[in-house]
Amino acid sequence: MSIGEPRERWCRLKGNLLFLMKNKSSEASEVVILERCWVVEFKSKTDVSIILKFQSGEPDLYIEAASKPDCEAWAVALGEANSEGLRNKIQQLRRLIMEIKEERASEEAHQFLPSSQVDSLGEPQFTSIQRIANEPKLEFSLACKGLVAATRDRKLNTFIQVSVVHPAEHILTRYSSTEIVEGTRDPLFLTGVTFPPEYPIYEETKIKLTVYDVKDKSQDTVRTSVLPDHKEPRADVGRSFLGCATFRVGDLVKSKEQQLTLTLRTSDGGKTVGTIEVNLVKMGEFEDGEMDHITTDAQDQKFLCFLPLKSCSCGFLSATCAHNTENLERMTDRRAKEECALVRECTAPEGLSGKDNLPSLNAVLKNPICKLYRFPTSDNKWMRIREQMAETTLSFHVPKELINLHIKEDMRRNQELKDLGELAPHWDNMRKSVIAHCDQMLSMYQDTLAELGKHTGSSFKSSCSKGEKTLEFIPINLHLQRMHVHSPRLKDALYDVITVGAPAAHFQGFKNGGLRKLLSKFEAERRNTGYQCIYYSPENTAKAKEVLSNINHLQPLISSHADLLLNSASQHSPDSLKNSLKMLSEKTELFVHAFKDQLVRSALLALYTARPGCVLKKPAVPRSSAEESDDLKHQDHSSQIKRQDSIPHHSEYDEEEWDRVWANVGKSLNCVIAMVDRLLEKDNSSKTKEGESDPSAADCKVLHAGGDWYEQLYPLVITLKDCMGEVVTRAKQSMAFVLLQELACGLPQCLMLTLRRDIVFSQALAGLVCGFIIKLHTSLHDQGFLQQLHTVGLLVQYEGLLSTYSEEAGMLEDMAVGISDLQKVMFKVIEAKSEDFLPIITGRREHYVIEVQLPAKMFELLPQEIKEGKLLRMYPVLFNVGINEQQTLAERFGDTTLQENINQENLELLKEYYNLFTEKMPPDCLPHFQEQNDLKGLLENLHQNIQAKRRKNVEIMWLAATICRKLNGVRFTCCKSAKDRTSMSVTLEQCSILRDEHQLHKDFFIRALDCMRSRQTQGALNESDDPETGCLTDNKPTSRHFYPVALLLVSSHLLVVWLILSLALLLAKYQ
C-alpha cells in the first residue's frame, strides 16, 4: 500500500481501474485510476514487489504478489492498463503502418541485405562512412520548398523532426529537430544535424525527416520530449503533420552534388506536399547559393523562439539523441539527452593533429554533445558554427585528490599536537579537546572520500543534487562550452567558456551568511575570546603552517643531498663533490632562512611557559625583527659544535638558547664547506706534484693524510644532520603550539569554517583545473600565449550572475572567498610517463601545486622555462551583476554593497594584472583575429561603470569578458546552478562575438540568438516531464520560463502595490 505496513487486499483490474477489496467476495473499498502512471518492478529473483508511481504527485502505491510469476503477470497487466501505455501502443501501431507503406513505395527499400554484406557467422556487415579523424561522421543542413498548407490563407510555421532507422534493429529512433521557422512556405532552417564519430550510423542507415506545422504556438505544443526507442510521443493538438521523406545515408554521401532533393508525401504516400533539400555539410568547405533568397526574405520569415527550459543549463545544446535514454536526470542538467560520445574540438585550427592531442584531452572530457548552425554574414556568405558541450571527469577527480590531501594534512597536524610533550593541566585539557574535535572532522573527510569512491555514472553533479552531503565537495554542472566558428574570409576561431554553478556550501546553508561574513565575524570574536589561550593573528597562523610545510619539504632534501655528498667523497670525484655541496648549501640556506622569524622565538617561549612548573631565567621581552636580523653571523671555522637538549626544561630554559641552536646549523654547514675546500685544494696540489720525477717523502705524507675524503667528511655531515634535527624538533613543537591556540580559541566554529572553506575551494579548483587544461591544449602553438603564461601568469575571469538578496547573497560571499583562494594555486606542466593524463595535486591548504601531464609530442612544444618546471601563477578575478527578480528586490529594498565591494576589489586585481602584462609582454601577444582595442580605455570604461552603481549594469559583464579575451584569459560564467541565467548570458555573448568578430548579418542577430536559445533545437523536455521539479504535472503554463523579463519590466510602482497587497493578504490570513 502507499504508507505504513503492507495490508492484505484482493485486487481486481478492469480497464484502467484497479479495485482493492478486503476479501475475495466483498465490495471494493478503494479504487485506483491508472492514469498517467508507470510501473516499477524489481528485477531480483526473490523480490515480488511492484511500485506504481503517479505523475500527479500522489503517493506511490506499493504492491506485493504471492509469487514471482504472479508479480511479473501483474506488472504486465498494470502497464498495459495504463492509459498512457494504451495510447503509446496505438501510436506505435500507426507508426508501423506508415513505415510499411513507405517501404512498399520506396524503390530503394531492401528487405534483406546482399549476401556480400553477411559475414561467415551470419551477422550483417554495414558500410562505414569515410570521414576525417575526430570529425563528425555526418552533418547536413535542411530546407523546404513549396510546402502545401491545409488552407490557402494559412501561413505555415514549420519545423523538421529527424529520426533514424538503424539497419540492424529496424527501429525508429527520434534523434533531433530543427528550430521553428514562422510565416513561410519555403523555410530555410539555420539549425543543422550532426552525428558524432562514435554514433552507429552507416551508409545503410535510413533517416526519416518529418515536417510539422505548428498551429497553437501560445500553448507551446511543439514538444519533443525524449522517449525510449520503442515509444512514440503523444499526438499534440497544437501541431499537424504535413509530410515525411526518407533517404539512405549512402545516397547522400555518394551524391555528386552532395545534395538530395526529396519529395514530401502524406502518411498514406499518395499526396505530395512539397520538397525538402538535404545538403551535406563539411566545416572546411563553404556553401554557396541561396544567400540572396535568405537575405531578401529575412523580413518575411518570422522565427518562433522558445526560451530555455529550467531543465536546460545552457543555451546551445546538441540535438537530442534517444540512443541509450535511461537516465532522465542526465537530461536535466546536460541540456539534452545524449549518451553516445560526440566529437571533440581539441585544438585550434593550427593546432596539433587529433592523434597527438585527443588522448590527453579525452582524459578530462567526457560525453560531449554538439550542435551545428549556419548563419549568413554581412557580405552574403555563409559561416558555420559548431557548438559543443562536454562534461569533465575533473568534477570528481579534483575533489577526491583534494580531500585525500586534507586527510593527510590533518593526520599530520593531529600527530604534531600529540608530540608537543608534557603540558600543564590547562593546556593539556585544551589539547585533548582540540584533538577530539579534529578526529571527528577527520572521520567526516574520510567518510566523504569513501562515498565519492563509490560513485558511478554521471561525471558531473546535477543541480538537484546540490544539497546532498556526500556531494558537497563536487562542483555543480561543470561543463566546457565551446563555439567553433568557420568563416569564409576570416580565420577559424574557438571560443571556450567554462560554465559551473557558484562555488558554495549548499548543504550547510546560508542562514548566517557566507564565508566572507562568517570569517570576518569569527576573527572579531576570536580577538575578544573568553578562552584562556594565546591569540595569534591569521597572518601568524598562516606563517606557522608555512614553517611546518618548509620543514617537511626541506629536511628530507637536505638529508638526501648530504648522503650524495658522502657518496661523492667515497668515490673521490671532485666534480660530483662540488655539485653535491652546491645543492646542499642552497637547501640548507633555505632551511635556515625559514626560521628567521620572531614568531618561532615567541612561540618557543610560550610553549615553555605551558610546561608544568616552568621558571623563566629572564623576563620574556619580545624582540623586534630588526634585532633578530643581526642574530645569525656565519663564522668560517671548524670548531666543534655543542648540541643542546631537544626541549627546554624549567629553570634551564634560556630565551637566547634558540638563537644558538639555530645558528649551529649554519656553523655546521660552514665546517662542511671548509673541509670540502681543503680536500679539493690538496687534491689539486697533489696532481700538480705528480708531474715531478722524484716526489719527496713529505709530499707523500700529505697525500696519504688527505686521501680518504669520506672519513674526514662523515663526522661533519653527521653533526649537520644532528643540528638540523634539533632545530626541526623545536620548531615543529613551537609551530604546533601556535596551531593549537588557533583551534582552541574557536572550537568548534574554527573547524566548521575550515570545512566550509574546503568545500567551496574544492568546487572552485575543479573548474580552474578544467579551464587551464583546455586553454593549454588549444594554445600550444601560440608562442605569445606560452610566453605570457610563464612570464606573467594566466588571467581567470569569473562572471557571476547571483543576486544580493536572501540565500544568493550567502552564495556570493562563499564564491568570492573561494575564487580569491585560487590565488594560492600554482600550475606546473610535466611530461606524462604513462597513459594516465589526469592532473596530480600536491601541497597543503594555503599552497597547492597542480601538475598537468602532457604527452611527449605536446610537451616538446612548450618553452624551455615551462619544461624545466617553472611554476605558473593564476590571477582570478570575479565580477558579479545580479540580473534576476531577486536582484530587483535587493536594489529596491535591500543592499547591494556586497556586489559593489567585490567588483571594486577585483577591478584593482585586474588593473594589477594589466600593469604586469604591459611591463613584461610586447603588444603583439594579443589575439590577432580581434581588433586591437585600447585595453587601457576598456579598463577605464569598466572602472566608470563600476563607480556608477547603476541597477543591473550588464555592461560590466561585457567589458570584463572582452578584456579577458583580449588578455588571453580563461572565461567562467556562473549562477546558482549554471542553467537559466548562465545559458542566457553565454548565448548572448556568443552571438555578440559572431556579430563583432565574424560579421554576422545584422538582420540575423536576433534570429541567431533565438535559434541558439530555442528549446526545440535542443531536443527539449516537456515541462511536464521536467525531472528537475521533482514531480510530474501536465500542461503547466510556460510563461515563467521567459527568464526574469516579466519582472524586470514591472515598474517600481506596481512592485510596491504588489508588496502591499501581499502583506495585507498575509495579515488577513493569520487574524
Side-chain angles (χ1 to χ4, degrees):
M1 305 304 293
S2 58
I3 57 176
E5 293 294 329
R7 293 171 291 175
E8 185 178 72
R9 291 287 186 270
W10 288 87
C11 300
R12 179 173 297 169
L13 182 63
K14 188 172 183 180
N16 66 336
L17 300 179
L18 178 64
F19 297 93
L20 305 180
M21 301 171 292
K22 293 184 178 180
N23 54 62
K24 191 172 184 180
S25 58
S26 65
E27 295 183 355
S29 58
E30 297 180 51
V31 179
V32 179
I33 301 176
L34 303 180
E35 184 76 20
R36 298 188 64 80
C37 63
W38 68 94
V39 179
V40 178
E41 178 188 1
F42 297 95
K43 300 300 184 181
S44 63
K45 296 181 180 179
T46 58
D47 204 323
V48 292
S49 303
I50 299 174
I51 295 179
L52 275 177
K53 292 183 175 291
F54 297 88
Q55 295 182 2
S56 60
E58 296 179 4
D60 298 344
L61 185 64
Y62 177 82
I63 303 174
E64 285 188 2
S67 63
K68 189 62 178 177
D70 288 348
C71 178
E72 295 174 352
W74 270 101
V76 173
L78 292 173
E80 293 178 349
N82 181 8
S83 59
E84 287 295 312
L86 294 174
R87 185 180 293 111
N88 290 334
K89 183 176 291 186
I90 293 173
Q91 293 296 331
Q92 185 177 6
L93 291 174
R94 289 177 178 174
R95 175 182 57 77
L96 291 175
I97 293 173
M98 184 174 63
E99 289 298 320
I100 291 173
K101 290 181 178 180
E102 289 180 359
E103 290 292 333
R104 291 177 178 176
S106 175
E107 297 179 355
E108 300 171 351
H110 299 280
Q111 185 176 1
F112 301 99
L113 291 173
S115 57
S116 59
Q117 291 182 298
V118 179
D119 61 11
S120 59
L121 298 177
E123 296 293 333
Q125 299 295 305
F126 305 112
T127 308
S128 299
I129 300 175
Q130 299 295 326
R131 62 180 180 86
I132 303 174
N134 305 321
E135 287 291 305
K137 280 188 176 180
L138 179 67
E139 290 181 313
F140 57 83
S141 59
L142 298 169
C144 294
K145 288 186 178 181
L147 296 180
V148 178
T151 59
R152 295 181 179 180
D153 298 335
R154 172 164 175 75
K155 292 185 177 181
L156 297 177
N157 309 313
T158 53
F159 76 97
I160 299 177
Q161 181 177 291
V162 182
S163 304
V164 178
V165 181
H166 297 282
E169 302 172 357
H170 296 287
I171 295 177
L172 189 70
T173 301
R174 297 179 54 224
Y175 185 77
S176 68
S177 55
T178 66
E179 79 277 13
I180 299 173
V181 179
E182 182 182 359
T184 178
R185 300 191 179 191
D186 300 319
L188 192 147
F189 300 96
L190 302 183
T191 305
V193 181
T194 179
F195 292 89
E198 291 80 6
Y199 191 86
I201 188 169
Y202 309 94
E203 290 188 6
E204 293 79 11
T205 302
K206 290 185 177 181
I207 295 180
K208 177 184 176 183
L209 305 175
T210 307
V211 182
Y212 289 97
D213 174 25
V214 181
K215 294 183 178 179
D216 188 3
K217 302 179 291 299
S218 62
Q219 295 298 321
D220 189 14
T221 53
V222 187
R223 293 172 174 169
T224 56
S225 56
V226 179
L227 297 173
D229 294 352
H230 62 281
K231 293 186 179 181
E232 181 74 10
R234 61 184 175 85
D236 289 310
V237 296
R239 70 177 182 184
S240 63
F241 171 83
L242 286 183
C244 62
T246 305
F247 69 92
R248 290 176 68 252
V249 172
D251 295 339
L252 176 61
V253 174
K254 295 178 180 178
S255 62
K256 294 182 179 180
E257 298 180 355
Q258 297 186 338
Q259 174 181 323
L260 294 178
T261 301
L262 308 174
T263 300
L264 286 171
R265 298 184 181 275
T266 55
S267 57
D268 57 6
K271 184 179 179 181
T272 300
V273 293
T275 59
I276 183 169
E277 293 183 356
V278 185
N279 290 277
L280 189 65
V281 172
K282 295 181 181 179
M283 285 291 286
E285 298 178 0
F286 298 105
E287 181 178 354
D288 298 322
E290 294 193 29
M291 191 59 233
D292 295 335
H293 167 71
I294 260 193
T295 306
T296 17
D297 295 346
Q299 303 302 326
D300 297 332
Q301 292 191 22
K302 299 179 182 179
F303 182 75
L304 183 59
C305 166
F306 291 93
L307 296 181
L309 274 172
K310 181 178 181 181
S311 60
C312 299
S313 54
C314 90
F316 49 95
L317 302 179
S318 148
T320 302
C321 170
H323 185 63
N324 252 338
T325 55
E326 296 121 359
N327 192 350
L328 282 178
E329 181 180 343
R330 182 181 216 83
M331 297 186 299
T332 302
D333 293 293
R334 279 302 308 276
R335 291 79 154 170
K337 180 61 184 174
E338 179 63 75
E339 291 285 343
C340 53
L342 301 182
V343 61
R344 296 179 174 93
E345 283 293 325
C346 304
T347 61
E350 296 179 357
L352 289 171
S353 66
K355 293 182 179 179
D356 295 331
N357 198 9
L358 192 59
S360 58
L361 202 59
N362 281 352
V364 298
L365 293 181
K366 186 177 180 182
N367 295 330
I369 58 178
C370 62
K371 188 65 181 176
L372 180 70
Y373 301 103
R374 55 174 177 175
F375 296 141
T377 62
S378 56
D379 57 354
N380 294 337
K381 297 292 183 180
W382 287 106
M383 64 175 167
R384 297 197 179 100
I385 295 91
R386 183 183 294 150
E387 295 175 324
Q388 298 170 290
M389 179 188 67
E391 302 173 10
T392 171
T393 56
L394 300 176
S395 293
F396 281 82
H397 173 75
V398 170
K400 288 194 289 187
E401 291 287 306
L402 209 54
I403 295 173
N404 192 37
L405 288 178
H406 293 333
I407 292 173
K408 293 179 180 179
E409 181 181 350
D410 291 349
M411 291 178 66
R412 188 165 55 247
R413 178 197 58 198
N414 291 357
Q415 187 60 43
E416 289 166 353
L417 293 177
K418 295 175 183 178
D419 292 342
L420 276 175
E422 188 178 2
L423 297 175
H426 165 70
W427 299 104
D428 192 50
N429 291 334
M430 181 185 294
R431 174 173 59 178
K432 291 179 181 178
S433 175
V434 168
I435 291 177
H437 281 85
C438 290
D439 285 341
Q440 292 179 4
M441 297 299 296
L442 183 60
S443 176
M444 193 217 68
Y445 280 102
Q446 291 171 336
D447 292 343
T448 301
L449 183 60
E451 290 298 323
L452 291 179
K454 299 176 184 177
H455 178 82
T456 58
S458 174
S459 59
F460 78 104
K461 182 174 79 172
S462 62
S463 61
C464 59
S465 303
K466 59 176 172 284
E468 293 186 15
K469 179 174 176 56
T470 56
L471 299 177
E472 56 185 346
F473 285 84
I474 310 301
I476 302 171
N477 271 338
L478 176 59
H479 289 90
L480 163 68
Q481 316 284 352
R482 168 168 290 179
M483 180 174 70
H484 179 196
V485 183
H486 183 74
S487 302
R489 296 184 179 179
L490 299 176
K491 180 181 178 182
D492 283 14
L494 293 178
Y495 299 92
D496 291 338
V497 178
I498 307 297
T499 60
V500 63
H506 293 276
F507 177 78
Q508 296 189 21
F510 309 95
K511 183 178 180 180
N512 299 316
L515 274 174
R516 191 178 173 103
K517 180 186 295 183
L518 293 174
L519 289 173
S520 176
K521 182 179 178 182
F522 172 75
E523 186 60 29
E525 292 177 350
R526 200 161 71 93
R527 288 177 179 272
N528 305 315
T529 181
Y531 291 98
Q532 296 181 1
C533 58
I534 304 171
Y535 173 78
Y536 288 96
S537 67
E539 293 76 15
N540 282 334
T541 55
K543 181 66 177 178
K545 295 175 183 177
E546 182 182 352
V547 170
L548 287 172
S549 177
N550 289 335
I551 291 173
N552 295 327
H553 174 67
L554 292 175
Q555 186 184 14
L557 288 179
I558 294 175
S559 179
S560 174
H561 289 306
D563 293 338
L564 289 176
L565 181 71
L566 292 177
N567 185 49
S568 300
S570 64
Q571 296 178 359
H572 209 281
S573 172
D575 293 336
S576 178
L577 191 67
K578 290 179 182 179
N579 293 333
S580 300
L581 180 63
K582 180 182 178 182
M583 297 300 298
L584 178 63
S585 301
E586 291 176 355
K587 298 302 179 184
T588 305
E589 288 176 4
L590 291 175
F591 179 83
V592 172
H593 182 73
F595 304 108
K596 194 176 181 179
D597 195 282
Q598 177 66 24
L599 176 64
V600 181
R601 182 180 292 103
S602 62
L604 278 171
L605 180 57
L607 176 60
Y608 174 72
T609 59
R611 302 291 185 192
C614 69
V615 177
L616 288 178
K617 273 187 174 183
K618 298 181 181 180
V621 181
R623 305 171 61 192
S624 66
S625 58
E627 294 174 342
E628 176 195 353
S629 62
D630 297 331
D631 284 347
L632 182 60
K633 302 294 183 181
H634 294 291
Q635 303 177 12
D636 296 330
H637 59 80
S638 58
S639 59
Q640 184 68 26
I641 306 300
K642 180 179 179 181
R643 296 182 57 202
Q644 308 292 333
D645 294 335
S646 60
I647 300 177
H649 299 290
H650 306 299
S651 59
E652 298 178 3
Y653 180 74
D654 184 352
E655 185 186 358
E656 297 180 355
E657 184 180 9
W658 166 250
D659 294 333
R660 294 192 293 271
V661 174
W662 175 48
N664 284 345
V665 177
K667 295 176 182 178
S668 299
L669 177 63
N670 290 336
C671 292
V672 173
I673 294 174
M675 178 57 70
V676 170
D677 291 341
R678 186 179 301 113
L679 293 175
L680 293 176
E681 183 180 355
K682 291 181 178 179
D683 183 68
N684 291 334
S685 62
S686 64
K687 289 181 179 179
T688 302
K689 293 184 179 181
E690 283 180 359
E692 300 178 3
S693 58
D694 186 18
S696 64
D699 294 331
C700 293
K701 290 180 180 180
V702 172
L703 290 174
H704 177 72
D708 194 353
W709 291 2
Y710 181 86
E711 292 181 358
Q712 299 185 53
L713 280 175
Y714 180 77
L716 299 178
V717 171
I718 293 300
T719 301
L720 174 63
K721 288 185 176 181
D722 291 343
C723 293
M724 184 178 62
E726 180 79 12
V727 172
V728 166
T729 301
R730 298 194 181 205
K732 270 191 173 183
Q733 290 181 341
S734 64
M735 296 299 97
F737 190 73
V738 172
L739 299 183
L740 175 63
Q741 308 308 310
E742 179 199 25
L743 295 170
C745 288
L747 284 178
Q749 294 88 345
C750 179
L751 293 177
M752 293 306 298
L753 282 177
T754 300
L755 171 63
R756 189 183 189 103
R757 199 165 188 170
D758 288 344
I759 291 170
V760 174
F761 179 77
S762 172
Q763 298 178 23
L765 182 62
L768 176 64
V769 175
C770 176
F772 178 86
I773 292 177
I774 298 301
K775 183 66 176 179
L776 182 63
H777 277 75
T778 56
S779 305
L780 276 174
H781 282 269
D782 187 346
Q783 295 302 318
F785 168 77
L786 295 176
Q787 180 185 355
Q788 174 186 349
L789 185 61
H790 70 79
T791 304
V792 184
L794 181 64
L795 177 65
V796 184
Q797 186 251 328
Y798 289 81
E799 175 183 301
L801 303 172
L802 295 172
S803 69
T804 55
Y805 183 82
S806 187
E807 286 190 348
E808 289 198 8
M811 297 177 199
L812 181 57
E813 291 179 348
D814 276 359
M815 182 180 179
V817 174
I819 292 175
S820 177
D821 286 345
L822 294 177
Q823 299 178 43
K824 306 165 186 175
V825 177
M826 309 285 278
F827 280 81
K828 181 180 179 181
V829 184
I830 61 175
E831 183 177 353
K833 303 300 181 182
S834 66
E835 295 300 321
D836 183 7
F837 298 105
L838 290 174
I840 303 170
I841 306 178
T842 59
R844 56 175 177 83
R845 293 181 181 94
E846 313 295 335
H847 180 70
Y848 289 99
V849 176
I850 315 298
E851 297 182 352
V852 177
Q853 304 185 80
L854 290 182
K857 292 183 179 180
M858 299 174 64
F859 187 76
E860 289 301 320
L861 299 175
L862 298 174
Q864 190 62 31
E865 293 86 351
I866 297 181
K867 288 194 287 187
E868 291 175 354
K870 183 175 182 179
L871 295 181
L872 311 174
R873 290 196 59 185
M874 300 293 108
Y875 291 85
V877 293
L878 165 66
F879 293 95
N880 186 86
V881 175
I883 59 173
N884 64 352
E885 62 273 15
Q886 289 186 339
Q887 185 63 20
T888 304
L889 298 176
E891 291 173 344
R892 296 288 184 181
F893 310 105
D895 185 14
T896 60
T897 306
L898 173 63
Q899 175 176 286
E900 294 166 2
N901 291 340
I902 289 175
N903 290 342
Q904 185 61 46
E905 293 168 5
N906 285 272
L907 174 63
E908 299 303 320
L909 295 176
L910 183 59
K911 288 182 177 178
E912 177 185 339
Y913 181 85
Y914 169 73
N915 293 333
L916 192 62
F917 180 89
T918 53
E919 290 175 6
K920 298 186 177 181
M921 297 297 297
D924 56 355
C925 290
L926 298 177
H928 297 292
F929 58 84
Q930 296 176 348
E931 296 180 5
Q932 301 299 314
N933 288 338
D934 185 7
L935 278 171
K936 189 174 182 180
L938 290 173
L939 281 170
E940 182 60 31
N941 196 0
L942 178 61
H943 175 77
Q944 293 174 0
N945 276 274
I946 291 176
Q947 293 297 322
K949 300 180 181 179
R950 293 199 300 267
R951 294 173 180 174
K952 296 183 179 178
N953 187 5
V954 294
E955 187 70 15
I956 293 175
M957 298 288 93
W958 177 247
L959 288 171
T962 303
I963 293 172
C964 175
R965 286 195 300 270
K966 291 184 179 297
L967 288 175
N968 296 318
V970 177
R971 288 265 298 114
F972 283 78
T973 299
C974 311
C975 65
K976 181 178 179 179
S977 301
K979 296 190 301 181
D980 295 342
R981 281 170 277 182
T982 298
S983 65
M984 299 294 285
S985 174
V986 172
T987 49
L988 178 60
E989 179 182 357
Q990 286 189 141
C991 288
S992 299
I993 291 174
L994 293 177
R995 177 193 61 195
D996 299 337
E997 307 292 346
H998 298 276
Q999 303 176 2
L1000 174 66
H1001 198 288
K1002 62 180 182 179
D1003 294 336
F1004 281 80
F1005 178 84
I1006 298 299
R1007 183 169 174 183
L1009 182 64
D1010 291 342
C1011 191
M1012 289 182 176
R1013 292 178 176 177
S1014 171
R1015 179 175 61 198
Q1016 181 69 10
T1017 63
Q1018 298 164 10
L1021 289 168
N1022 268 339
E1023 185 182 353
S1024 59
D1025 298 332
D1026 182 8
E1028 185 77 18
T1029 61
C1031 61
L1032 301 175
T1033 56
D1034 187 30
N1035 294 331
K1036 291 183 181 178
T1038 59
S1039 59
R1040 69 184 183 93
H1041 289 300
F1042 280 85
Y1043 197 44
V1045 174
L1047 278 178
L1048 294 179
L1049 296 178
V1050 174
S1051 69
S1052 59
H1053 303 290
L1054 291 178
L1055 185 60
V1056 171
V1057 171
W1058 175 77
L1059 289 174
I1060 293 174
L1061 291 176
S1062 299
L1063 182 61
L1065 290 174
L1066 186 64
L1067 293 175
K1069 180 179 179 180
Y1070 290 99
Q1071 283 182 351

